[in-house]
Amino acid sequence: MTKQEPDFSSNTNVDRNDVSPHANFYFETRAETLAEQEKNFTLKDLFQGVFTKLNPLFSIDCAALILYNDEMDHITRAYLTEILSGQISCVETISDPVSLSLITKEISGFDFPVLKSRQDWIADFGENHCLTNHPTEYHFHCYIPLENNGRILGTFELHNHNHELNAEGLTFCCNIADFIAGLLAVMEERNVYEPNLATPIKSEIINEPKISAFADEKIKQLEQEIEKLRVQLAEYLIFKPEESSEILTHPEIVGSSPEMQEVYRLLNLISSTETTVLILGETGTGKELIAKAVHDGSTRSQKTMVKVNCAAIPPNLIESELFGHEKGSFTGATERRIGKFEQAHKGTIFLDEIGELPIDLQVRLLRVLQEKEIERIGGKTTIPTDVRIISATNRNLLEEVEAGRFRRDLFYRLNVFPLSLPPLRNRKSDIAVLATFFLEKFARKSKRTLEGFSKKALSQMMAYSWPGNVRELEHLIERQVVMAQGPVIRNVEIPGSPEKSLSTLAPVKTIFENERDHIFAVLALCNGKISGQNGAAKLLGVPATTLNSKIKRLGLSKKHIF
């Protein structure tokens, strides 16, 4: 009779000595496999696995896991995961403690989810948030604190190039962050501090002698003193702009921000054509400079570019200025006058402030665009013209059309290729380069030797909104050159923004502002807690997911309530 093999799935108690060699080998192999898997498991592996699920769900380009020390003044570990060449990669970008920068200090203070764009960071700090040891710049950021029992252990960051994380994605990622925070807390409780698990909570140097409290206090005092000296030093350190590595540039235009890169791209597309161009932008953004760039890049560059400021010519003289007149055609016409369109024949005419053109002259201009011919005042014959028209305005021409102050048909004729120029407040990364350019220009003109701006002076300029745009910056730098007492401009006196005085005239808040302020007040009351028994969502009577959506829309950050 054949001896039956023991059944390993039954509840029968089997004497250890009676187990076959096959069974022993099975158990030993299984135990070794599990031990090896546990040995090789890392927080980095977990984070890469999380991103593997998040990326297809919400099209997240990059995620980062940032871990802090107990004092919240250093990053102890950082992991970054993204897709490279179709494969998901996860790397440890920080392995030794790194002090918090101004931006990362702001992020470490978030105790509820925060969404910020590149423009938000530039408006607040003069630069975008860029990940340490990572060259890629992202335009949309999401920061979710890793919070456990009132302690912030780190930050779960999500970064995208082209879109903001939606409300569903934010809620889902908040749940993921809670899971990671719980895992970190368990690791701390169990004292799991092997190098593979890379916890941020304790120092990795566990077995070395403990630093005395006295020495620790001395270190903190030294760090505080260094920070004070750093602030003072900013007044004396000279700012030197780095050489731009951007491909798209223009020899007569200063700036390499993403906003200006788009302008350069459009310039390259339009300059060599004969298309009519309408340049839009606030006062002082450099519309005339862009018009000249369009002309210089065209086949008409060897001919004249005639400039006409429609707002600077009296209404009764504009027609004569544009189209010319014959001798004796009106009182004072003692000789024949050649108009600007004739002067620009085979070249380009730049009509600045086109929105100021009187309505009756708009009809004449429309005929020039349609028929390619003009007629002098008092003349009896038409004169063919071959002119490329570039116009510019700081007005909203569509609003002017609706108000009846600008002809609709002329607007569509001029608006063939609109080119919008960004205001200086939206391209703050160009302020330093522009300021340095103007400093060198006016120093050379006044025959003075100036080395540059202190970092403090640069920070002052970065914090200003520049309602007058590049022209205002240029005039300010010219004034600073005249007033400079030494080789370095240490302080910049910037006049107060007129926007503040205007705001006092309109104290009534909009519905959006009232909703925002109410949410901020409730979050402050709840110390930033969104969900749970004492959370803001319960007090407001809305689901936590709905409140998260409103936080996303408002671009909420901790500085708004504390």
Side-chain angles (χ1 to χ4, degrees), residues 137-359:
E137 182 178 30
Y138 295 96
H139 284 242
F140 299 95
H141 313 275
C142 175
Y143 306 95
I144 305 174
L146 301 173
E147 186 261 342
N148 184 266
N149 291 329
R151 288 179 54 204
I152 302 297
L153 308 179
T155 303
F156 182 34
E157 299 182 1
L158 306 164
H159 307 279
N160 281 328
H161 286 294
N162 301 317
H163 64 90
E164 203 172 46
L165 186 67
N166 59 29
E168 293 76 17
L170 179 61
T171 301
F172 187 89
C173 291
C174 284
N175 293 331
I176 294 294
D178 287 343
F179 167 75
I180 295 175
L183 176 63
L184 292 173
V186 171
M187 290 164 58
E188 181 182 16
E189 290 173 3
R190 295 183 179 180
N191 201 25
V192 183
Y193 297 116
E194 289 83 5
N196 281 345
L197 289 176
T199 176
I201 310 301
K202 301 290 183 183
S203 170
E204 281 196 346
I205 309 174
I206 299 171
N207 298 322
E208 291 192 1
K210 188 177 180 181
I211 300 175
S212 68
F214 175 78
D216 194 40
E217 183 63 28
K218 281 291 184 184
I219 290 173
K220 288 183 178 179
Q221 290 177 2
L222 287 173
E223 289 178 344
Q224 291 171 359
E225 187 64 26
I226 290 171
E227 179 62 20
K228 290 180 182 177
L229 291 173
R230 187 190 67 79
V231 173
Q232 294 174 7
L233 191 60
E235 187 173 338
Y236 295 92
L237 286 176
I238 301 175
F239 169 79
K240 294 293 183 184
E242 298 179 0
E243 291 293 329
S244 173
S245 59
E246 298 288 347
I247 298 175
L248 298 178
T249 58
H250 192 279
E252 296 183 16
I253 303 175
V254 178
S256 58
S257 62
E259 293 79 9
M260 289 306 296
Q261 289 294 296
E262 177 64 13
V263 172
Y264 298 146
R265 185 183 72 82
L266 296 176
L267 276 177
N268 290 341
L269 287 175
I270 198 63
S271 294
S272 60
T273 70
E274 291 292 307
T275 302
T276 300
V277 180
L278 175 61
I279 304 174
L280 306 168
E282 296 178 7
T283 298
T285 50
K287 296 186 287 294
E288 183 176 328
L289 190 63
I290 296 297
K292 186 176 184 303
V294 173
H295 171 74
D296 290 344
S298 71
T299 56
R300 299 173 180 262
S301 59
Q302 301 303 315
K303 299 295 182 179
T304 305
M305 184 178 92
V306 177
K307 304 172 186 177
V308 180
N309 190 327
C310 299
I313 306 172
N316 60 329
L317 296 179
I318 290 182
E319 185 175 10
S320 174
E321 189 74 18
L322 291 177
F323 308 118
H325 62 258
E326 297 290 350
K327 181 178 178 181
S329 57
F330 56 85
T331 303
T334 57
E335 59 183 2
R336 171 187 288 180
R337 179 183 180 87
I338 303 299
K340 298 297 185 183
F341 272 90
E342 282 187 80
Q343 295 175 27
H345 186 60
K346 297 294 183 181
T348 304
I349 189 168
F350 174 52
L351 301 175
D352 198 7
E353 305 296 350
I354 190 67
E356 307 291 336
L357 196 66
I359 195 76

